[in-house]
Amino acid sequence: MKSTLHCFLLLSLISTLQPSPSQAGEDFASQKAPFQLPPLPYPANALEPHIDAKTMNIHHGKHHAAYVNNLNAAIEKTPALAGWTLDRLMREINQVPESVRQTIRDNGGGHYNHSLFWITLSPTPSQPSGPLAEAINAEFGSLDNLFAALREAGMKRFGSGWAWLSLTPEGKLIVESTPNQDNPLMHGNFPLLGIDVWEHAYYLNYQNRRSDYLDAIRNVIHWPVVETRFQTAKTPPIHN
Ligand code: MN
């Protein structure tokens, strides 16, 4: 009895030391309607000088909030989608009723992409490690080369969209770009890291200098979350 109690206390201690996915905001993709705006995992000014507080507040509190509200409104008038997770809405976007498909594509994508964006940024410097670092070196040659590829993808995106580090169904790391709020899951890839290149992500601080923003954001990438996604993506059924 006593050892059972000790065991319980030890497990409780371990579980309080290690943040659960929901505490870290990493379980957003398994959530269902009504969707909620996740809190920023750091103060709005934490990423300065790379991303300024005003941009963060408007980006999170206005843009992301609008995607969540519009997504919920679309699901509300489409009962068939009520039980769908955010992940499923992305993967099976072509099965979504045509009357709301574009709305879900834009706003469901907007909710997924920004939920991921916030948790893959951090004021605490980090580097890729372990199997992810090995895969980056094997595929791109170096972290610098990966950032150069992300920068090029972001610069070549005409208008609004995202630059991504994604995993293909074959387990290969690739850099790709999507327009608007499209998400790699919509064409079968798994997004590990997304860089928002909409003007709303940088214009207040960088004006037309998207390249300066893309150079700066590498200083605030939160690699531990990217690493976790890389590991779990290889484990069905999260990625299949
Ligand atoms: Mn955005």
Side-chain angles (χ1 to χ4, degrees):
M1 188 67 188
K2 201 176 172 189
S3 64
T4 309
L5 180 64
H6 281 159
C7 186
F8 173 76
L9 290 173
L10 184 63
L11 287 172
S12 303
L13 181 65
I14 290 170
S15 67
T16 55
L17 290 175
Q18 294 180 334
S20 69
S22 69
Q23 284 171 315
E26 290 170 40
D27 66 344
F28 66 88
S30 62
Q31 290 169 0
K32 299 171 183 174
F35 296 99
Q36 293 183 335
L37 180 68
L40 283 178
Y42 34 72
N45 65 358
L47 306 180
E48 291 187 345
H50 308 295
I51 304 178
D52 63 286
K54 191 173 182 187
T55 295
M56 287 298 289
N57 277 322
I58 296 172
H59 198 176
H60 174 259
K62 303 293 183 190
H63 291 279
H64 189 174
Y67 297 128
V68 173
N69 292 339
N70 294 337
L71 174 61
N72 283 333
I75 303 277
E76 210 164 286
K77 63 180 184 185
T78 319
L81 300 175
W84 286 37
T85 62
L86 185 59
D87 182 84
R88 185 178 177 194
L89 289 169
M90 299 293 96
R91 290 177 194 267
E92 300 182 25
I93 188 66
N94 291 325
Q95 274 67 60
V96 166
E98 216 173 328
S99 58
V100 290
R101 191 180 302 157
Q102 191 62 43
T103 305
I104 302 263
R105 192 177 189 99
D106 294 340
N107 294 283
H111 179 39
Y112 188 113
N113 298 349
H114 289 87
S115 297
L116 177 59
F117 190 55
W118 311 131
I119 62 170
T120 51
L121 300 176
S122 168
T124 307
S126 63
Q127 296 285 321
S129 63
L132 175 62
E134 288 166 23
I136 288 171
N137 287 333
E139 201 58 54
F140 302 99
S142 69
L143 184 60
D144 280 347
N145 288 355
L146 167 59
F147 274 119
L150 283 167
R151 187 182 192 282
E152 186 183 1
M155 289 303 292
K156 280 187 176 168
R157 169 53 50 199
F158 185 78
S160 298
W162 292 73
W164 301 96
L165 174 65
S166 303
L167 200 62
T168 69
E170 295 75 34
K172 181 180 160 70
L173 284 182
I174 60 162
V175 166
E176 61 179 331
S177 169
T178 56
N180 305 311
Q181 295 297 352
D182 283 7
N183 179 290
L185 289 169
M186 294 174 184
H187 54 261
N189 291 335
F190 184 78
L192 300 177
L193 170 68
I195 310 290
D196 191 343
V197 296
W198 283 58
E199 283 187 347
H200 69 222
Y202 62 85
Y203 205 86
L204 289 177
N205 193 29
Y206 294 95
Q207 291 82 49
N208 59 319
R209 303 186 307 278
R210 184 187 285 185
S211 57
D212 288 359
Y213 159 74
L214 287 169
D215 288 337
I217 202 166
R218 69 174 286 173
N219 296 301
V220 289
I221 301 297
H222 188 45
W223 286 103
V225 167
V226 183
E227 179 102 35
T228 301
R229 292 177 68 79
F230 178 69
Q231 302 276 24
T232 54
K234 292 185 158 179
T235 314
I238 295 171
H239 185 64
N240 50 36

